[in-house]
């Protein structure tokens, strides 16, 4: 574990990671340093007890591991501000969507250790799914540290960088499709007479529980689906209605569309 960890950008995702680290007890607040706009730094210093830096470069000079959690359009500004403080002992981890390891490397000294993470917003409630890609200078120990850090936000998988487009399709962008599904499930329940507040509760808990069944039972999703479908019953009737509407092909097209769009944007 590096002694101190720094965050350039402490907005939604930066704060989600900081809170995950504190909750998991991986770092104490005195070993977390942030740099963001002044009012936010004052607020987070008060709320979380974390330290603050004077500038992006000041932050990097104080830590071994820097997490950059600014919007992608701010990445060049940040990298240019920190480059004089970066050397082969520092690790730079970026969560900016669409900014490649090569793009980051171009702005920093040769042989800088760089990691790229694609998180998703359920990280805000500790159930995120993150991918981790690294360049050739990152050691196994540093990679293991990143996995530990990201595990405090949910689950993490190592992927080759070229697979990030697929990751965006299946997890980065996917919470939005799942929300559409939950909304549609609930609308269906309202149509069938259930009060709306209860409809969202039934729909969301059913999605959560079904996801847990996939993750924890080790069974193939098709096997779990078969277990619910009794012959001539209600569920197979609903599955037939979904298949008539090309449900699976539509979802596959959505994942493919997000992956292709990410490729265009990178
Ligand atoms: N895959 C996903 O679903 C997913 C989800 C969320 C986020 N992300 C990635 O996570 C990154 C952060 O997103 P977010 O939602 O956390 O953004 P955010 O809430 O806007 O947080 C970014 C913070 O960084 C600050 N900032 C901007 N320039 C800075 C600089 N030079 N030095 C220090 N701080 C600076 C911003 O301040 P101002 O507001 O004043 O600019 C803001 O407080 C993005 O790059 C995004 O692509 C991915």
């Amino acid at each position: 574990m590096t002694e101190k960890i720094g965050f350039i950008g402490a907005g939604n995702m930066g704060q989600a990671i900081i809170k995950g680290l504190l909750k998991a007890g991986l770092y104490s607040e005195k070993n977390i340093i942030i740099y963001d706009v002044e009012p936010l730094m004052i607020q987070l210093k008060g709320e979380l007890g974390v330290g603050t830096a004077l500038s992006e470069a000041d932050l990097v000079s104080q830590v071994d591991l820097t997490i950059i959690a600014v919007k992608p359009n701010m990445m060049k500004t940040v990298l240019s501000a920190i480059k004089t403080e970066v050397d082969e002992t520092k690790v730079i981890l970026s969560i900016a969507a669409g900014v490649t390891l090569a793009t980051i490397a171009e702005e920093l000294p040769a042989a800088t250790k760089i990691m790229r993470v694609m998180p998703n917003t359920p990280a805000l409630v500790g159930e995120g799914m993150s991918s981790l890609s690294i360049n050739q200078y990152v050691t196994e120990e540093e990679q293991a540290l990143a996995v530990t850090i990201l595990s405090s936000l949910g689950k993490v998988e190592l992927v080759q960088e070229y697979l990030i487009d697929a990751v965006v399709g299946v997890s980065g962008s996917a919470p939005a499709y799942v929300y559409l599904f939950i909304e549609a499930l609930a609308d269906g329940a309202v149509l069938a007479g259930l009060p709306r507040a209860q409809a969202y509760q039934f729909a969301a808990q059913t999605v959560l529980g079904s996801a847990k069944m996939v993750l924890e039972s080790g069974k193939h999703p098709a096997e779990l689906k078969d277990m619910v479908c009794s012959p001539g019953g209600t569920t197979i009737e609903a599955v037939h209605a979904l298949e008539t509407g090309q449900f699976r092909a539509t979802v596959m097209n959505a994942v493919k569309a997000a992956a292709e769009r990410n490729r265009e944007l990178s």
Side-chain angles (χ1 to χ4, degrees):
M1 191 74 50
T2 58
E3 202 192 319
K4 284 191 174 176
I5 185 168
F7 289 81
I8 299 179
N12 294 314
M13 293 306 289
Q15 282 179 49
I17 303 174
I18 294 169
K19 286 174 186 166
L21 294 178
L22 291 172
K23 199 168 165 203
L26 287 173
Y27 286 87
S28 68
E29 54 276 12
K30 67 177 193 313
N31 288 330
I32 298 176
I33 304 173
I34 62 169
Y35 180 71
D36 202 303
V37 287
E38 191 74 30
L40 186 58
M41 284 201 287
I42 293 168
Q43 181 198 326
L44 294 177
K45 198 175 177 173
E47 273 175 20
L48 305 174
V50 294
T52 57
L54 299 173
S55 66
E56 294 96 331
D58 176 47
L59 180 134
V60 172
S61 73
Q62 296 185 54
V63 300
D64 298 328
L65 173 60
T66 301
I67 297 188
I68 308 182
V70 299
K71 294 282 189 207
N73 65 342
M74 292 307 297
M75 278 299 285
K76 277 214 161 166
T77 311
V78 169
L79 295 171
S80 146
I82 65 174
K83 69 178 169 213
T84 52
E85 295 301 327
V86 175
D87 60 29
E88 67 285 357
T89 67
K90 308 277 184 186
V91 180
I92 304 297
L93 185 157
S94 157
I95 64 164
V99 183
T100 64
L101 291 169
T103 303
I104 299 168
E106 264 170 35
E107 307 291 325
L108 297 176
T112 299
K113 300 163 191 282
I114 307 169
M115 306 193 196
R116 180 178 171 197
V117 170
M118 173 55 57
N120 67 4
T121 53
L124 298 170
V125 292
E127 290 293 349
M129 181 70 233
S130 303
S131 70
L132 172 65
S133 308
I134 58 173
N135 75 356
Q136 68 269 41
Y137 305 111
V138 173
T139 65
E140 273 184 28
E141 201 182 26
E142 289 157 349
Q143 176 184 299
L145 172 63
V147 168
T148 305
I149 288 171
L150 295 169
S151 298
S152 71
L153 300 175
K155 298 195 184 308
V156 54
E157 285 287 326
L158 286 166
V159 300
Q160 297 279 325
E161 189 180 27
Y162 78 94
L163 291 171
I164 286 185
D165 300 320
V167 168
V168 168
V170 74
S171 70
S173 298
Y177 344 143
V178 176
Y179 301 138
L180 282 182
F181 179 62
I182 291 172
E183 189 187 12
L185 267 185
D187 277 346
V190 171
L191 189 63
L194 207 61
R196 183 155 291 277
Q198 280 187 322
Y200 284 126
Q201 177 81 8
F202 276 97
Q205 177 61 25
T206 299
V207 170
L208 179 68
S210 307
K212 258 189 143 166
M213 287 287 282
V214 173
L215 290 172
E216 291 179 12
S217 71
K219 289 187 164 52
H220 191 287
E223 193 183 343
L224 292 168
K225 180 262 295 170
D226 287 357
M227 283 161 57
V228 196
C229 292
S230 49
T234 57
T235 312
I236 196 67
E237 199 69 41
V239 169
H240 179 249
L242 286 170
E243 295 292 20
T244 306
Q246 300 202 307
F247 181 66
R248 282 188 292 175
T250 305
V251 174
M252 286 171 72
N253 282 338
V255 173
K256 187 164 168 268
E260 282 171 4
R261 182 67 181 139
N262 196 63
R263 196 168 299 126
E264 280 169 21
L265 293 174
S266 298

